[in-house]
Amino acid sequence: EVQLVESGGGLVQPGGSLRLSCAASGFTFSNYWMHWVRQAPGKGLMWVSHINGDGTSTTYADSVRGRFTISRDNAKNSLYLQMNSLRAEDTAAYYCARDFPRSAWSFDYWGQGALVTVSS
Amino acid sequence: DIQLTQSPSSLSASVGGRVTITCRASQNISSYLNWYQQKPGKAPKFLIYASSSLQFGVPSRFSGSGSGTDFTLTISSLQPEDFATYYCQQSYSNPYTFGQGTKLEIK
């Protein structure tokens, strides 16, 4: 059974940093592109970033480029999102999601989400 | 960026009824359109990919159609568990944008 479990969310002050983790199981992690998608409270979904299977290719949404870094450790079956220079508008539930190989850039499995609150 | 506009933003329907949600793209995205269902406090669930292909395990009362800029999600014979928010998402080009969502409520 495919499982994605995020951790590392919490309350952080504006300008601060936080690192999210996503533990994957039930599939060959290194074979899949992985994504981060976020959802502000009461709002819609926004794609944040993705990374290829061996970690050599990454892409970011304009609103987080230069502040967020996606990475992975295939030996640990883990995906990460390092978030720096956090702003109030980064407050959201952050989901890791697996790329669906039959239709690239769609998301077939999602974690339960990690809540990040940026506030003083 | 490609903008996706869903309509309506909300609707109410009865158990056993049929509903159609529309998603319009700001440019031609061929058939690179996907649909998700989200219930309160839960992660989205993958329903349909490539406009009309049903993800494994999704009930056949869900169907999708369209190409180019206009797409629809239809749910026939609504069940109590179908009342949720539905999102379309384009996988044509980065950034992979979502529609604003359509909230389906019980009448």
Side-chain angles (χ1 to χ4, degrees):
Chain A
E1 178 192 6
V2 172
Q3 284 199 321
L4 299 169
V5 180
E6 299 95 340
S7 60
L11 175 64
V12 60
Q13 292 188 341
S17 298
L18 209 58
R19 187 197 197 203
L20 301 182
S21 300
C22 171
S25 60
F27 64 103
T28 304
F29 182 65
S30 60
N31 287 352
Y32 289 81
W33 286 75
M34 295 295 296
H35 303 262
W36 288 99
V37 177
R38 74 183 185 186
Q39 185 171 36
K43 302 298 184 183
L45 299 162
M46 189 194 99
W47 174 83
V48 173
S49 179
H50 70 192
I51 186 168
N52 69 342
D54 63 8
T56 57
S57 177
T58 60
T59 310
Y60 300 90
D62 285 348
S63 58
V64 307
R65 188 177 297 115
R67 300 188 298 123
F68 289 12
T69 302
I70 189 172
S71 63
R72 65 192 297 160
D73 184 338
N74 288 340
K76 295 182 178 180
N77 288 339
S78 292
L79 176 72
Y80 305 102
L81 186 67
Q82 176 66 44
M83 303 182 292
N84 298 331
S85 302
L86 282 161
R87 307 166 179 166
E89 55 265 34
D90 296 320
T91 294
Y94 284 76
Y95 297 98
C96 64
R98 192 181 80 166
D99 195 76
F100 182 51
R102 295 180 65 183
S103 184
W105 322 137
S106 59
F107 319 117
D108 62 350
Y109 287 93
W110 299 62
Q112 84 289 352
L115 182 60
V116 173
T117 303
V118 184
S119 175
S120 55
Chain B
D1 297 3
I2 296 172
Q3 294 188 11
L4 298 180
T5 304
Q6 291 182 230
S7 60
S9 295
S10 64
L11 75 160
S12 60
S14 301
V15 173
R18 175 188 177 100
V19 297
T20 296
I21 299 168
T22 297
C23 179
R24 176 162 289 174
S26 60
Q27 66 182 74
N28 187 338
I29 58 170
S30 186
S31 296
Y32 293 94
L33 194 285
N34 313 296
W35 291 96
Y36 302 83
Q37 175 195 69
Q38 188 179 33
K39 297 181 179 179
K42 300 294 186 182
K45 176 185 176 183
F46 189 42
L47 296 178
I48 288 173
Y49 62 96
S51 178
S52 60
S53 297
L54 212 60
Q55 170 65 335
F56 180 77
V58 174
S60 59
R61 63 181 179 271
F62 290 89
S63 64
S65 66
S67 66
T69 60
D70 294 314
F71 302 87
T72 60
L73 171 70
T74 298
I75 314 171
S76 61
S77 189
L78 280 164
Q79 299 301 300
E81 61 267 29
D82 299 337
F83 293 93
T85 298
Y86 292 85
Y87 293 93
C88 58
Q89 175 246 336
Q90 62 85 14
S91 48
Y92 181 81
S93 69
N94 188 346
Y96 311 113
T97 47
F98 291 84
Q100 83 279 14
T102 294
K103 186 174 184 179
L104 174 58
E105 298 176 304
I106 298 177
K107 182 181 286 184

mmCIF file of all heavy atoms in Angstrom, chain B residues 68-99:
data_model
loop_
_atom_site.group_PDB
_atom_site.id
_atom_site.type_symbol
_atom_site.label_atom_id
_atom_site.label_comp_id
_atom_site.label_asym_id
_atom_site.label_seq_id
_atom_site.Cartn_x
_atom_site.Cartn_y
_atom_site.Cartn_z
ATOM 1 N N GLY B 68 -9.093 20.606 -25.370
ATOM 2 C CA GLY B 68 -8.867 21.996 -25.754
ATOM 3 C C GLY B 68 -8.966 22.923 -24.554
ATOM 4 O O GLY B 68 -8.037 22.995 -23.749
ATOM 5 N N THR B 69 -10.083 23.615 -24.418
ATOM 6 C CA THR B 69 -10.249 24.551 -23.302
ATOM 7 C C THR B 69 -11.439 24.247 -22.414
ATOM 8 O O THR B 69 -11.555 24.827 -21.326
ATOM 9 C CB THR B 69 -10.405 26.004 -23.819
ATOM 10 O OG1 THR B 69 -11.556 26.075 -24.659
ATOM 11 C CG2 THR B 69 -9.163 26.460 -24.583
ATOM 12 N N ASP B 70 -12.332 23.373 -22.830
ATOM 13 C CA ASP B 70 -13.567 23.131 -22.083
ATOM 14 C C ASP B 70 -13.691 21.671 -21.658
ATOM 15 O O ASP B 70 -13.617 20.767 -22.500
ATOM 16 C CB ASP B 70 -14.785 23.542 -22.911
ATOM 17 C CG ASP B 70 -14.813 25.049 -23.151
ATOM 18 O OD1 ASP B 70 -14.595 25.807 -22.188
ATOM 19 O OD2 ASP B 70 -15.039 25.459 -24.299
ATOM 20 N N PHE B 71 -13.913 21.499 -20.364
ATOM 21 C CA PHE B 71 -13.931 20.166 -19.766
ATOM 22 C C PHE B 71 -15.091 20.057 -18.785
ATOM 23 O O PHE B 71 -15.538 21.066 -18.221
ATOM 24 C CB PHE B 71 -12.616 19.911 -19.022
ATOM 25 C CG PHE B 71 -11.411 20.030 -19.898
ATOM 26 C CD1 PHE B 71 -10.801 21.259 -20.103
ATOM 27 C CD2 PHE B 71 -10.887 18.914 -20.537
ATOM 28 C CE1 PHE B 71 -9.697 21.389 -20.926
ATOM 29 C CE2 PHE B 71 -9.775 19.023 -21.356
ATOM 30 C CZ PHE B 71 -9.182 20.261 -21.561
ATOM 31 N N THR B 72 -15.560 18.827 -18.594
ATOM 32 C CA THR B 72 -16.627 18.602 -17.629
ATOM 33 C C THR B 72 -16.341 17.365 -16.798
ATOM 34 O O THR B 72 -15.745 16.391 -17.271
ATOM 35 C CB THR B 72 -17.998 18.444 -18.307
ATOM 36 O OG1 THR B 72 -17.951 17.334 -19.192
ATOM 37 C CG2 THR B 72 -18.396 19.697 -19.057
ATOM 38 N N LEU B 73 -16.798 17.433 -15.558
ATOM 39 C CA LEU B 73 -16.857 16.282 -14.661
ATOM 40 C C LEU B 73 -18.330 16.041 -14.371
ATOM 41 O O LEU B 73 -19.039 16.964 -13.955
ATOM 42 C CB LEU B 73 -16.113 16.571 -13.359
ATOM 43 C CG LEU B 73 -16.283 15.532 -12.246
ATOM 44 C CD1 LEU B 73 -15.568 14.238 -12.599
ATOM 45 C CD2 LEU B 73 -15.749 16.069 -10.905
ATOM 46 N N THR B 74 -18.780 14.827 -14.595
ATOM 47 C CA THR B 74 -20.168 14.466 -14.334
ATOM 48 C C THR B 74 -20.212 13.366 -13.288
ATOM 49 O O THR B 74 -19.425 12.409 -13.359
ATOM 50 C CB THR B 74 -20.869 14.006 -15.620
ATOM 51 O OG1 THR B 74 -20.875 15.085 -16.562
ATOM 52 C CG2 THR B 74 -22.303 13.598 -15.336
ATOM 53 N N ILE B 75 -21.081 13.533 -12.332
ATOM 54 C CA ILE B 75 -21.326 12.499 -11.332
ATOM 55 C C ILE B 75 -22.785 12.111 -11.464
ATOM 56 O O ILE B 75 -23.681 12.958 -11.283
ATOM 57 C CB ILE B 75 -21.039 12.984 -9.901
ATOM 58 C CG1 ILE B 75 -19.711 13.726 -9.815
ATOM 59 C CG2 ILE B 75 -21.036 11.778 -8.942
ATOM 60 C CD1 ILE B 75 -19.478 14.422 -8.483
ATOM 61 N N SER B 76 -23.015 10.878 -11.821
ATOM 62 C CA SER B 76 -24.395 10.399 -11.956
ATOM 63 C C SER B 76 -24.757 9.623 -10.697
ATOM 64 O O SER B 76 -23.869 9.102 -10.008
ATOM 65 C CB SER B 76 -24.518 9.501 -13.187
ATOM 66 O OG SER B 76 -23.672 8.379 -13.056
ATOM 67 N N SER B 77 -26.018 9.570 -10.399
ATOM 68 C CA SER B 77 -26.504 8.820 -9.241
ATOM 69 C C SER B 77 -25.681 9.146 -7.984
ATOM 70 O O SER B 77 -24.991 8.281 -7.426
ATOM 71 C CB SER B 77 -26.452 7.313 -9.532
ATOM 72 O OG SER B 77 -27.096 6.592 -8.512
ATOM 73 N N LEU B 78 -25.761 10.394 -7.562
ATOM 74 C CA LEU B 78 -24.982 10.883 -6.425
ATOM 75 C C LEU B 78 -25.191 10.025 -5.176
ATOM 76 O O LEU B 78 -26.329 9.683 -4.824
ATOM 77 C CB LEU B 78 -25.363 12.329 -6.121
ATOM 78 C CG LEU B 78 -24.732 13.412 -6.993
ATOM 79 C CD1 LEU B 78 -25.493 14.715 -6.837
ATOM 80 C CD2 LEU B 78 -23.262 13.584 -6.647
ATOM 81 N N GLN B 79 -24.071 9.733 -4.538
ATOM 82 C CA GLN B 79 -24.091 9.018 -3.274
ATOM 83 C C GLN B 79 -23.700 9.964 -2.143
ATOM 84 O O GLN B 79 -23.035 10.987 -2.374
ATOM 85 C CB GLN B 79 -23.123 7.843 -3.340
ATOM 86 C CG GLN B 79 -23.475 6.821 -4.410
ATOM 87 C CD GLN B 79 -24.851 6.240 -4.189
ATOM 88 O OE1 GLN B 79 -25.134 5.641 -3.154
ATOM 89 N NE2 GLN B 79 -25.739 6.418 -5.175
ATOM 90 N N PRO B 80 -24.086 9.654 -0.907
ATOM 91 C CA PRO B 80 -23.770 10.556 0.211
ATOM 92 C C PRO B 80 -22.280 10.882 0.315
ATOM 93 O O PRO B 80 -21.909 12.004 0.680
ATOM 94 C CB PRO B 80 -24.261 9.776 1.427
ATOM 95 C CG PRO B 80 -25.336 8.904 0.904
ATOM 96 C CD PRO B 80 -24.915 8.515 -0.482
ATOM 97 N N GLU B 81 -21.436 9.923 -0.039
ATOM 98 C CA GLU B 81 -19.983 10.152 0.080
ATOM 99 C C GLU B 81 -19.415 11.042 -1.020
ATOM 100 O O GLU B 81 -18.234 11.397 -0.981
ATOM 101 C CB GLU B 81 -19.242 8.810 0.087
ATOM 102 C CG GLU B 81 -19.414 7.961 -1.154
ATOM 103 C CD GLU B 81 -20.571 6.964 -1.030
ATOM 104 O OE1 GLU B 81 -21.541 7.255 -0.291
ATOM 105 O OE2 GLU B 81 -20.487 5.903 -1.704
ATOM 106 N N ASP B 82 -20.244 11.426 -2.006
ATOM 107 C CA ASP B 82 -19.762 12.271 -3.099
ATOM 108 C C ASP B 82 -19.803 13.754 -2.765
ATOM 109 O O ASP B 82 -19.272 14.572 -3.515
ATOM 110 C CB ASP B 82 -20.596 12.030 -4.365
ATOM 111 C CG ASP B 82 -20.509 10.594 -4.865
ATOM 112 O OD1 ASP B 82 -19.514 9.910 -4.543
ATOM 113 O OD2 ASP B 82 -21.444 10.167 -5.562
ATOM 114 N N PHE B 83 -20.421 14.100 -1.662
ATOM 115 C CA PHE B 83 -20.538 15.517 -1.318
ATOM 116 C C PHE B 83 -19.205 15.989 -0.759
ATOM 117 O O PHE B 83 -18.761 15.542 0.305
ATOM 118 C CB PHE B 83 -21.725 15.737 -0.386
ATOM 119 C CG PHE B 83 -23.024 15.472 -1.095
ATOM 120 C CD1 PHE B 83 -23.610 14.217 -1.040
ATOM 121 C CD2 PHE B 83 -23.631 16.452 -1.861
ATOM 122 C CE1 PHE B 83 -24.794 13.943 -1.741
ATOM 123 C CE2 PHE B 83 -24.811 16.200 -2.548
ATOM 124 C CZ PHE B 83 -25.387 14.936 -2.495
ATOM 125 N N ALA B 84 -18.568 16.865 -1.535
ATOM 126 C CA ALA B 84 -17.181 17.244 -1.304
ATOM 127 C C ALA B 84 -16.874 18.434 -2.201
ATOM 128 O O ALA B 84 -17.762 18.948 -2.897
ATOM 129 C CB ALA B 84 -16.257 16.080 -1.641
ATOM 130 N N THR B 85 -15.610 18.833 -2.196
ATOM 131 C CA THR B 85 -15.156 19.874 -3.119
ATOM 132 C C THR B 85 -14.341 19.216 -4.226
ATOM 133 O O THR B 85 -13.531 18.326 -3.961
ATOM 134 C CB THR B 85 -14.319 20.929 -2.388
ATOM 135 O OG1 THR B 85 -15.135 21.564 -1.388
ATOM 136 C CG2 THR B 85 -13.815 21.999 -3.357
ATOM 137 N N TYR B 86 -14.568 19.663 -5.445
ATOM 138 C CA TYR B 86 -13.910 19.088 -6.609
ATOM 139 C C TYR B 86 -13.009 20.136 -7.273
ATOM 140 O O TYR B 86 -13.407 21.306 -7.424
ATOM 141 C CB TYR B 86 -14.946 18.568 -7.607
ATOM 142 C CG TYR B 86 -15.681 17.373 -7.046
ATOM 143 C CD1 TYR B 86 -16.800 17.530 -6.227
ATOM 144 C CD2 TYR B 86 -15.228 16.077 -7.289
ATOM 145 C CE1 TYR B 86 -17.444 16.447 -5.672
ATOM 146 C CE2 TYR B 86 -15.874 14.976 -6.747
ATOM 147 C CZ TYR B 86 -16.966 15.175 -5.937
ATOM 148 O OH TYR B 86 -17.606 14.083 -5.383
ATOM 149 N N TYR B 87 -11.820 19.691 -7.645
ATOM 150 C CA TYR B 87 -10.845 20.566 -8.294
ATOM 151 C C TYR B 87 -10.409 19.982 -9.631
ATOM 152 O O TYR B 87 -10.131 18.780 -9.716
ATOM 153 C CB TYR B 87 -9.585 20.728 -7.434
ATOM 154 C CG TYR B 87 -9.786 21.468 -6.135
ATOM 155 C CD1 TYR B 87 -10.059 20.790 -4.957
ATOM 156 C CD2 TYR B 87 -9.671 22.857 -6.084
ATOM 157 C CE1 TYR B 87 -10.222 21.466 -3.751
ATOM 158 C CE2 TYR B 87 -9.836 23.544 -4.885
ATOM 159 C CZ TYR B 87 -10.117 22.842 -3.740
ATOM 160 O OH TYR B 87 -10.273 23.523 -2.547
ATOM 161 N N CYS B 88 -10.311 20.826 -10.642
ATOM 162 C CA CYS B 88 -9.625 20.429 -11.861
ATOM 163 C C CYS B 88 -8.177 20.909 -11.788
ATOM 164 O O CYS B 88 -7.857 21.828 -11.010
ATOM 165 C CB CYS B 88 -10.327 20.974 -13.109
ATOM 166 S SG CYS B 88 -10.513 22.775 -13.190
ATOM 167 N N GLN B 89 -7.322 20.279 -12.568
ATOM 168 C CA GLN B 89 -5.895 20.621 -12.561
ATOM 169 C C GLN B 89 -5.334 20.344 -13.949
ATOM 170 O O GLN B 89 -5.634 19.309 -14.541
ATOM 171 C CB GLN B 89 -5.144 19.782 -11.532
ATOM 172 C CG GLN B 89 -3.621 19.981 -11.516
ATOM 173 C CD GLN B 89 -2.836 18.757 -11.950
ATOM 174 O OE1 GLN B 89 -3.319 17.634 -11.859
ATOM 175 N NE2 GLN B 89 -1.633 18.961 -12.448
ATOM 176 N N GLN B 90 -4.534 21.267 -14.460
ATOM 177 C CA GLN B 90 -3.939 21.045 -15.773
ATOM 178 C C GLN B 90 -2.506 20.535 -15.618
ATOM 179 O O GLN B 90 -1.737 21.028 -14.773
ATOM 180 C CB GLN B 90 -4.001 22.318 -16.636
ATOM 181 C CG GLN B 90 -3.262 23.532 -16.116
ATOM 182 C CD GLN B 90 -1.785 23.569 -16.480
ATOM 183 O OE1 GLN B 90 -1.322 22.815 -17.345
ATOM 184 N NE2 GLN B 90 -1.027 24.446 -15.821
ATOM 185 N N SER B 91 -2.179 19.552 -16.439
ATOM 186 C CA SER B 91 -0.829 18.997 -16.445
ATOM 187 C C SER B 91 -0.156 19.243 -17.796
ATOM 188 O O SER B 91 0.736 18.502 -18.211
ATOM 189 C CB SER B 91 -0.875 17.500 -16.109
ATOM 190 O OG SER B 91 -1.857 16.831 -16.876
ATOM 191 N N TYR B 92 -0.594 20.303 -18.465
ATOM 192 C CA TYR B 92 -0.052 20.645 -19.779
ATOM 193 C C TYR B 92 1.271 21.380 -19.673
ATOM 194 O O TYR B 92 2.203 21.119 -20.441
ATOM 195 C CB TYR B 92 -1.087 21.495 -20.528
ATOM 196 C CG TYR B 92 -0.674 21.913 -21.910
ATOM 197 C CD1 TYR B 92 -0.807 21.038 -22.980
ATOM 198 C CD2 TYR B 92 -0.151 23.192 -22.155
ATOM 199 C CE1 TYR B 92 -0.436 21.416 -24.264
ATOM 200 C CE2 TYR B 92 0.220 23.570 -23.429
ATOM 201 C CZ TYR B 92 0.074 22.681 -24.464
ATOM 202 O OH TYR B 92 0.444 23.058 -25.728
ATOM 203 N N SER B 93 1.326 22.321 -18.726
ATOM 204 C CA SER B 93 2.563 23.091 -18.591
ATOM 205 C C SER B 93 2.756 23.578 -17.167
ATOM 206 O O SER B 93 1.789 23.786 -16.425
ATOM 207 C CB SER B 93 2.579 24.278 -19.556
ATOM 208 O OG SER B 93 1.624 25.239 -19.188
ATOM 209 N N ASN B 94 4.023 23.769 -16.818
ATOM 210 C CA ASN B 94 4.433 24.262 -15.516
ATOM 211 C C ASN B 94 4.175 25.768 -15.450
ATOM 212 O O ASN B 94 4.535 26.478 -16.385
ATOM 213 C CB ASN B 94 5.924 23.975 -15.379
ATOM 214 C CG ASN B 94 6.465 24.252 -14.004
ATOM 215 O OD1 ASN B 94 5.826 24.888 -13.186
ATOM 216 N ND2 ASN B 94 7.659 23.796 -13.768
ATOM 217 N N PRO B 95 3.601 26.304 -14.395
ATOM 218 C CA PRO B 95 3.144 25.627 -13.165
ATOM 219 C C PRO B 95 1.817 24.906 -13.354
ATOM 220 O O PRO B 95 0.958 25.354 -14.092
ATOM 221 C CB PRO B 95 3.007 26.781 -12.171
ATOM 222 C CG PRO B 95 2.640 27.956 -13.028
ATOM 223 C CD PRO B 95 3.421 27.770 -14.308
ATOM 224 N N TYR B 96 1.675 23.814 -12.668
ATOM 225 C CA TYR B 96 0.519 22.910 -12.837
ATOM 226 C C TYR B 96 -0.633 23.439 -11.999
ATOM 227 O O TYR B 96 -0.801 23.077 -10.844
ATOM 228 C CB TYR B 96 0.920 21.487 -12.464
ATOM 229 C CG TYR B 96 2.208 21.090 -13.144
ATOM 230 C CD1 TYR B 96 3.372 20.867 -12.421
ATOM 231 C CD2 TYR B 96 2.284 20.999 -14.534
ATOM 232 C CE1 TYR B 96 4.566 20.555 -13.055
ATOM 233 C CE2 TYR B 96 3.461 20.689 -15.169
ATOM 234 C CZ TYR B 96 4.609 20.474 -14.428
ATOM 235 O OH TYR B 96 5.785 20.176 -15.049
ATOM 236 N N THR B 97 -1.421 24.280 -12.588
ATOM 237 C CA THR B 97 -2.437 25.032 -11.873
ATOM 238 C C THR B 97 -3.710 24.248 -11.648
ATOM 239 O O THR B 97 -4.036 23.303 -12.392
ATOM 240 C CB THR B 97 -2.754 26.330 -12.624
ATOM 241 O OG1 THR B 97 -2.935 26.034 -14.026
ATOM 242 C CG2 THR B 97 -1.615 27.336 -12.491
ATOM 243 N N PHE B 98 -4.447 24.667 -10.620
ATOM 244 C CA PHE B 98 -5.725 24.087 -10.247
ATOM 245 C C PHE B 98 -6.830 25.116 -10.463
ATOM 246 O O PHE B 98 -6.594 26.327 -10.390
ATOM 247 C CB PHE B 98 -5.722 23.700 -8.767
ATOM 248 C CG PHE B 98 -4.826 22.553 -8.405
ATOM 249 C CD1 PHE B 98 -3.475 22.765 -8.164
ATOM 250 C CD2 PHE B 98 -5.334 21.264 -8.272
ATOM 251 C CE1 PHE B 98 -2.637 21.711 -7.820
ATOM 252 C CE2 PHE B 98 -4.502 20.203 -7.918
ATOM 253 C CZ PHE B 98 -3.151 20.430 -7.693
ATOM 254 N N GLY B 99 -8.037 24.620 -10.669
ATOM 255 C CA GLY B 99 -9.198 25.483 -10.601
ATOM 256 C C GLY B 99 -9.460 25.881 -9.159
ATOM 257 O O GLY B 99 -8.857 25.335 -8.227
#
